[in-house]
Amino acid sequence: MARRNREIGKAGWGYTAITSVVGFIYFFPVFWIILTAFKTRTDALATPPKLFFTPTLDNFTSVFYRASITTGTSQATDMGLYFFNSIFIAGTSVGLALIVGTLAAYAFSRYPLRGNDTYLFIILTTRMMPPIVVIIPIFLMFRLSGLAGSYWGIILLYTAFNIPFSVWLVKSFFDELNPEIEDAARMDGATEGRVFFRFCIPQILAGLSATFVFGLILTWNEFLFALLLTGVETRTVPVAMARTLGGEVGVDYGLLAAIVTLFLIPIFFVTFLLQNQLLRGVTFGTVKK
Amino acid sequence: MADAAHHRGGFGAWLLDPKRRGALLVTPAIAILFVMNIFPLMWSFGLSFFNYKASSLKVPKFKGLDNYHDVLTDEKVWERFQTTAIIVSASVVLQLIIGFLLALMFAKAFPMRRIVLMLVLTPMMLSFVSVGVFFKLFYEPTFGIVSFVINLFTEERFVLLGSPEGAIAGIVIADAWMWSPFVMLLVLAGLVSVPKYLYEAAEIDRASAWRRFWTITFPYIKSLLLLAVLFRTIETFKLFDIVYIITEGGPGSTTETIAVYLYRTAFQFFKTSQSSALAYIVLFIVIVLTNLYLYAVNRRAEEID
């Protein structure tokens, strides 16, 4: 029922105006960060803080090109590579976790093992644990196995972080489906593969998208493990962001804000496109039909 | 593929036997989890019984439960737990209130809802690093916008992060701002799951708005609220980046959370084994919380059935 009339009542443009004001107040810190990205160094640290100023694109330019002090020529930074790394690493690991997690979730839902709940609980515990518990062994493990600094190392690690979440969420979607329809399909001679791909997956697509967005939001900004386990070639944007903080002249807020703004764009659009699915999938499947 | 046919009745058939289908489908997930999570966990569990230091080459000695004894009798650790508890409870309560109010606002359908909702969802998509750095700037006495606004009303120089209470407030505000949207999503899902006919019936009965809320809406969102509380408690318990950037645990060590302390023990003092022991105590607490969380999920499922 909930899916057919999802909202309580309807309101008009007046209501839109009120919510926009509240929404904008909530959004204000983000707005300020975006403004800072267009400010010169002096404007960024002006007293009192400046709301109106002459905008500049210098910060965005210096995200990708930095003037060398010694030679005066501009040098390309590796920020483009870091953006690629972030997108590639987060996208691959969340996708991989979704595939592996969906298979496991299907098994947990349709072919319960002995000790099913125990397995599920152990899986969930690994998600709930403070990351610092495993950081030293993982660091040593990555160094010994040569995974440190490689794409596969960090991708596998992030995949592992996303699996518990994917399994739990997707299992709840499978649980909601009516198994009788699947049995009927089997009677008609459909193979197991066909039942899975043609009957189950299409029905939970919205849920799968929600799981993907959630995983992406949580992985996109991961910092601690990326800091310790990525190398020069595989560095992600949050790590690069933190590296702009050090420096003798203090934080370059304009530059940082420009990176934050650019880094916000991809995740913002993915979330915007999949917003309806996100709202539906967020309940961990506990809101039924 | 020809090979697979050749082995029909052999290993391939054994593996694909319907009896093993469940186990087969679960294997990739469990394998990755084992290598990347469970194995390192067991490793650090082992470490917690030695006096291993990541910075020293000496062969570690077995110390039995000494590390656990040291950690549990350390007054500093209890202080850190207290700080963590204060930050967690303040932040979670704030997230609940804000998240709940936002959800009420967005439960109605209105023009451009999708776009306005994005304004509220954005904080969740920022990195902890950037939220930390910019909130620190907002609180800054001279350049900060928060200080500027407050100085419109008072002449006194506003130094939020100077006092322990202020510093805690600063952390809590940043964290709550970032994660209230998450609570909002959960509550919103609860609100829209209330069957409409209940409201229609209430209207016929002329029930007051207050009564409608407590008798119709609240029962539907009760366990989702609990779910939000537990999920956010577990996550906030691990709070590290924001604290580390905004206050570095200061002034003094008044805002040092257990996660920051854990980081310091492990990476500044290189007491690897001791930090593992402490980490396991934290893990124990998290497991207790997880059980509560599962209990809430199950109750929710039962209620809906």
PDB file of all heavy atoms in Angstrom, chain B residues 164-186:
ATOM      1  N   PRO B 164      36.023  23.117  27.332  1.00  0.00           N
ATOM      2  CA  PRO B 164      35.626  21.727  27.083  1.00  0.00           C
ATOM      3  C   PRO B 164      34.177  21.609  26.595  1.00  0.00           C
ATOM      4  O   PRO B 164      33.916  20.910  25.625  1.00  0.00           O
ATOM      5  CB  PRO B 164      35.784  21.062  28.450  1.00  0.00           C
ATOM      6  CG  PRO B 164      36.762  21.894  29.176  1.00  0.00           C
ATOM      7  CD  PRO B 164      36.617  23.294  28.659  1.00  0.00           C
ATOM      8  N   GLU B 165      33.262  22.347  27.249  1.00  0.00           N
ATOM      9  CA  GLU B 165      31.852  22.238  26.870  1.00  0.00           C
ATOM     10  C   GLU B 165      31.646  22.731  25.446  1.00  0.00           C
ATOM     11  O   GLU B 165      30.941  22.123  24.643  1.00  0.00           O
ATOM     12  CB  GLU B 165      30.952  23.060  27.810  1.00  0.00           C
ATOM     13  CG  GLU B 165      30.931  22.590  29.251  1.00  0.00           C
ATOM     14  CD  GLU B 165      32.147  23.069  30.043  1.00  0.00           C
ATOM     15  OE1 GLU B 165      32.864  23.980  29.552  1.00  0.00           O
ATOM     16  OE2 GLU B 165      32.395  22.518  31.140  1.00  0.00           O
ATOM     17  N   GLY B 166      32.275  23.868  25.127  1.00  0.00           N
ATOM     18  CA  GLY B 166      32.153  24.437  23.793  1.00  0.00           C
ATOM     19  C   GLY B 166      32.705  23.502  22.739  1.00  0.00           C
ATOM     20  O   GLY B 166      32.105  23.312  21.677  1.00  0.00           O
ATOM     21  N   ALA B 167      33.861  22.911  23.041  1.00  0.00           N
ATOM     22  CA  ALA B 167      34.492  22.014  22.073  1.00  0.00           C
ATOM     23  C   ALA B 167      33.597  20.810  21.803  1.00  0.00           C
ATOM     24  O   ALA B 167      33.425  20.393  20.658  1.00  0.00           O
ATOM     25  CB  ALA B 167      35.853  21.567  22.585  1.00  0.00           C
ATOM     26  N   ILE B 168      33.006  20.274  22.876  1.00  0.00           N
ATOM     27  CA  ILE B 168      32.093  19.147  22.691  1.00  0.00           C
ATOM     28  C   ILE B 168      30.897  19.577  21.848  1.00  0.00           C
ATOM     29  O   ILE B 168      30.496  18.886  20.911  1.00  0.00           O
ATOM     30  CB  ILE B 168      31.650  18.569  24.058  1.00  0.00           C
ATOM     31  CG1 ILE B 168      32.815  17.760  24.630  1.00  0.00           C
ATOM     32  CG2 ILE B 168      30.406  17.691  23.922  1.00  0.00           C
ATOM     33  CD1 ILE B 168      32.548  17.080  25.933  1.00  0.00           C
ATOM     34  N   ALA B 169      30.352  20.769  22.161  1.00  0.00           N
ATOM     35  CA  ALA B 169      29.222  21.274  21.384  1.00  0.00           C
ATOM     36  C   ALA B 169      29.611  21.399  19.917  1.00  0.00           C
ATOM     37  O   ALA B 169      28.839  21.021  19.027  1.00  0.00           O
ATOM     38  CB  ALA B 169      28.767  22.622  21.934  1.00  0.00           C
ATOM     39  N   GLY B 170      30.804  21.911  19.657  1.00  0.00           N
ATOM     40  CA  GLY B 170      31.268  22.077  18.282  1.00  0.00           C
ATOM     41  C   GLY B 170      31.303  20.770  17.522  1.00  0.00           C
ATOM     42  O   GLY B 170      30.859  20.690  16.370  1.00  0.00           O
ATOM     43  N   ILE B 171      31.813  19.725  18.173  1.00  0.00           N
ATOM     44  CA  ILE B 171      31.884  18.404  17.539  1.00  0.00           C
ATOM     45  C   ILE B 171      30.478  17.856  17.296  1.00  0.00           C
ATOM     46  O   ILE B 171      30.153  17.376  16.215  1.00  0.00           O
ATOM     47  CB  ILE B 171      32.682  17.428  18.420  1.00  0.00           C
ATOM     48  CG1 ILE B 171      34.153  17.852  18.459  1.00  0.00           C
ATOM     49  CG2 ILE B 171      32.538  15.998  17.926  1.00  0.00           C
ATOM     50  CD1 ILE B 171      34.963  17.150  19.507  1.00  0.00           C
ATOM     51  N   VAL B 172      29.648  17.961  18.353  1.00  0.00           N
ATOM     52  CA  VAL B 172      28.294  17.403  18.273  1.00  0.00           C
ATOM     53  C   VAL B 172      27.501  18.065  17.148  1.00  0.00           C
ATOM     54  O   VAL B 172      26.819  17.387  16.370  1.00  0.00           O
ATOM     55  CB  VAL B 172      27.571  17.553  19.637  1.00  0.00           C
ATOM     56  CG1 VAL B 172      26.080  17.320  19.487  1.00  0.00           C
ATOM     57  CG2 VAL B 172      28.172  16.610  20.649  1.00  0.00           C
ATOM     58  N   ILE B 173      27.622  19.389  17.028  1.00  0.00           N
ATOM     59  CA  ILE B 173      26.866  20.103  15.987  1.00  0.00           C
ATOM     60  C   ILE B 173      27.290  19.633  14.597  1.00  0.00           C
ATOM     61  O   ILE B 173      26.456  19.320  13.745  1.00  0.00           O
ATOM     62  CB  ILE B 173      27.043  21.630  16.125  1.00  0.00           C
ATOM     63  CG1 ILE B 173      26.320  22.113  17.394  1.00  0.00           C
ATOM     64  CG2 ILE B 173      26.488  22.364  14.909  1.00  0.00           C
ATOM     65  CD1 ILE B 173      26.637  23.540  17.770  1.00  0.00           C
ATOM     66  N   ALA B 174      28.606  19.538  14.385  1.00  0.00           N
ATOM     67  CA  ALA B 174      29.096  19.100  13.073  1.00  0.00           C
ATOM     68  C   ALA B 174      28.602  17.693  12.744  1.00  0.00           C
ATOM     69  O   ALA B 174      28.116  17.425  11.637  1.00  0.00           O
ATOM     70  CB  ALA B 174      30.617  19.149  13.030  1.00  0.00           C
ATOM     71  N   ASP B 175      28.721  16.788  13.715  1.00  0.00           N
ATOM     72  CA  ASP B 175      28.322  15.402  13.470  1.00  0.00           C
ATOM     73  C   ASP B 175      26.810  15.282  13.263  1.00  0.00           C
ATOM     74  O   ASP B 175      26.343  14.588  12.353  1.00  0.00           O
ATOM     75  CB  ASP B 175      28.769  14.517  14.639  1.00  0.00           C
ATOM     76  CG  ASP B 175      28.494  13.044  14.366  1.00  0.00           C
ATOM     77  OD1 ASP B 175      28.979  12.537  13.349  1.00  0.00           O
ATOM     78  OD2 ASP B 175      27.777  12.411  15.173  1.00  0.00           O
ATOM     79  N   ALA B 176      26.055  15.976  14.103  1.00  0.00           N
ATOM     80  CA  ALA B 176      24.596  15.898  14.003  1.00  0.00           C
ATOM     81  C   ALA B 176      24.116  16.496  12.680  1.00  0.00           C
ATOM     82  O   ALA B 176      23.194  15.978  12.048  1.00  0.00           O
ATOM     83  CB  ALA B 176      23.942  16.613  15.174  1.00  0.00           C
ATOM     84  N   TRP B 177      24.756  17.573  12.263  1.00  0.00           N
ATOM     85  CA  TRP B 177      24.379  18.195  10.984  1.00  0.00           C
ATOM     86  C   TRP B 177      24.582  17.208   9.842  1.00  0.00           C
ATOM     87  O   TRP B 177      23.744  17.072   8.959  1.00  0.00           O
ATOM     88  CB  TRP B 177      25.234  19.444  10.764  1.00  0.00           C
ATOM     89  CG  TRP B 177      25.022  20.081   9.423  1.00  0.00           C
ATOM     90  CD1 TRP B 177      23.920  20.777   9.017  1.00  0.00           C
ATOM     91  CD2 TRP B 177      25.921  20.074   8.315  1.00  0.00           C
ATOM     92  NE1 TRP B 177      24.081  21.199   7.721  1.00  0.00           N
ATOM     93  CE2 TRP B 177      25.305  20.787   7.264  1.00  0.00           C
ATOM     94  CE3 TRP B 177      27.201  19.545   8.106  1.00  0.00           C
ATOM     95  CZ2 TRP B 177      25.911  20.976   6.025  1.00  0.00           C
ATOM     96  CZ3 TRP B 177      27.800  19.730   6.877  1.00  0.00           C
ATOM     97  CH2 TRP B 177      27.168  20.442   5.852  1.00  0.00           C
ATOM     98  N   MET B 178      25.700  16.499   9.911  1.00  0.00           N
ATOM     99  CA  MET B 178      26.029  15.590   8.831  1.00  0.00           C
ATOM    100  C   MET B 178      25.064  14.403   8.759  1.00  0.00           C
ATOM    101  O   MET B 178      24.700  13.960   7.676  1.00  0.00           O
ATOM    102  CB  MET B 178      27.444  15.090   9.061  1.00  0.00           C
ATOM    103  CG  MET B 178      28.187  14.734   7.820  1.00  0.00           C
ATOM    104  SD  MET B 178      29.893  14.340   8.218  1.00  0.00           S
ATOM    105  CE  MET B 178      30.276  13.352   6.786  1.00  0.00           C
ATOM    106  N   TRP B 179      24.635  13.879   9.909  1.00  0.00           N
ATOM    107  CA  TRP B 179      23.906  12.611   9.910  1.00  0.00           C
ATOM    108  C   TRP B 179      22.425  12.680  10.237  1.00  0.00           C
ATOM    109  O   TRP B 179      21.733  11.671  10.167  1.00  0.00           O
ATOM    110  CB  TRP B 179      24.615  11.597  10.817  1.00  0.00           C
ATOM    111  CG  TRP B 179      25.926  11.238  10.205  1.00  0.00           C
ATOM    112  CD1 TRP B 179      27.160  11.625  10.650  1.00  0.00           C
ATOM    113  CD2 TRP B 179      26.146  10.486   9.001  1.00  0.00           C
ATOM    114  NE1 TRP B 179      28.128  11.159   9.798  1.00  0.00           N
ATOM    115  CE2 TRP B 179      27.533  10.459   8.785  1.00  0.00           C
ATOM    116  CE3 TRP B 179      25.311   9.851   8.094  1.00  0.00           C
ATOM    117  CZ2 TRP B 179      28.110   9.804   7.691  1.00  0.00           C
ATOM    118  CZ3 TRP B 179      25.878   9.201   7.003  1.00  0.00           C
ATOM    119  CH2 TRP B 179      27.260   9.190   6.822  1.00  0.00           C
ATOM    120  N   SER B 180      21.900  13.864  10.576  1.00  0.00           N
ATOM    121  CA  SER B 180      20.446  13.972  10.758  1.00  0.00           C
ATOM    122  C   SER B 180      19.683  13.551   9.501  1.00  0.00           C
ATOM    123  O   SER B 180      18.618  12.931   9.607  1.00  0.00           O
ATOM    124  CB  SER B 180      20.055  15.398  11.141  1.00  0.00           C
ATOM    125  OG  SER B 180      20.607  15.725  12.378  1.00  0.00           O
ATOM    126  N   PRO B 181      20.182  13.864   8.304  1.00  0.00           N
ATOM    127  CA  PRO B 181      19.476  13.424   7.092  1.00  0.00           C
ATOM    128  C   PRO B 181      19.282  11.913   7.036  1.00  0.00           C
ATOM    129  O   PRO B 181      18.278  11.431   6.507  1.00  0.00           O
ATOM    130  CB  PRO B 181      20.405  13.874   5.952  1.00  0.00           C
ATOM    131  CG  PRO B 181      21.199  14.980   6.520  1.00  0.00           C
ATOM    132  CD  PRO B 181      21.351  14.706   7.971  1.00  0.00           C
ATOM    133  N   PHE B 182      20.223  11.174   7.592  1.00  0.00           N
ATOM    134  CA  PHE B 182      20.084   9.722   7.607  1.00  0.00           C
ATOM    135  C   PHE B 182      18.889   9.308   8.464  1.00  0.00           C
ATOM    136  O   PHE B 182      18.067   8.488   8.057  1.00  0.00           O
ATOM    137  CB  PHE B 182      21.377   9.094   8.146  1.00  0.00           C
ATOM    138  CG  PHE B 182      21.326   7.600   8.205  1.00  0.00           C
ATOM    139  CD1 PHE B 182      21.614   6.850   7.075  1.00  0.00           C
ATOM    140  CD2 PHE B 182      20.978   6.936   9.367  1.00  0.00           C
ATOM    141  CE1 PHE B 182      21.561   5.477   7.116  1.00  0.00           C
ATOM    142  CE2 PHE B 182      20.915   5.562   9.410  1.00  0.00           C
ATOM    143  CZ  PHE B 182      21.206   4.824   8.283  1.00  0.00           C
ATOM    144  N   VAL B 183      18.802   9.929   9.652  1.00  0.00           N
ATOM    145  CA  VAL B 183      17.650   9.653  10.520  1.00  0.00           C
ATOM    146  C   VAL B 183      16.369  10.059   9.805  1.00  0.00           C
ATOM    147  O   VAL B 183      15.366   9.344   9.847  1.00  0.00           O
ATOM    148  CB  VAL B 183      17.789  10.400  11.868  1.00  0.00           C
ATOM    149  CG1 VAL B 183      16.570  10.177  12.742  1.00  0.00           C
ATOM    150  CG2 VAL B 183      19.050   9.963  12.585  1.00  0.00           C
ATOM    151  N   MET B 184      16.432  11.196   9.106  1.00  0.00           N
ATOM    152  CA  MET B 184      15.255  11.654   8.376  1.00  0.00           C
ATOM    153  C   MET B 184      14.776  10.597   7.368  1.00  0.00           C
ATOM    154  O   MET B 184      13.579  10.322   7.283  1.00  0.00           O
ATOM    155  CB  MET B 184      15.569  12.949   7.638  1.00  0.00           C
ATOM    156  CG  MET B 184      14.409  13.421   6.790  1.00  0.00           C
ATOM    157  SD  MET B 184      14.847  14.611   5.535  1.00  0.00           S
ATOM    158  CE  MET B 184      15.728  13.599   4.380  1.00  0.00           C
ATOM    159  N   LEU B 185      15.722  10.001   6.633  1.00  0.00           N
ATOM    160  CA  LEU B 185      15.342   8.983   5.650  1.00  0.00           C
ATOM    161  C   LEU B 185      14.610   7.823   6.312  1.00  0.00           C
ATOM    162  O   LEU B 185      13.591   7.350   5.803  1.00  0.00           O
ATOM    163  CB  LEU B 185      16.586   8.455   4.926  1.00  0.00           C
ATOM    164  CG  LEU B 185      17.189   9.343   3.841  1.00  0.00           C
ATOM    165  CD1 LEU B 185      18.466   8.732   3.307  1.00  0.00           C
ATOM    166  CD2 LEU B 185      16.197   9.532   2.708  1.00  0.00           C
ATOM    167  N   LEU B 186      15.135   7.381   7.465  1.00  0.00           N
ATOM    168  CA  LEU B 186      14.487   6.268   8.159  1.00  0.00           C
ATOM    169  C   LEU B 186      13.085   6.638   8.632  1.00  0.00           C
ATOM    170  O   LEU B 186      12.124   5.894   8.422  1.00  0.00           O
ATOM    171  CB  LEU B 186      15.325   5.837   9.361  1.00  0.00           C
ATOM    172  CG  LEU B 186      16.511   4.930   9.077  1.00  0.00           C
ATOM    173  CD1 LEU B 186      17.299   4.686  10.347  1.00  0.00           C
ATOM    174  CD2 LEU B 186      16.045   3.598   8.513  1.00  0.00           C
TER     175      LEU B 186
END
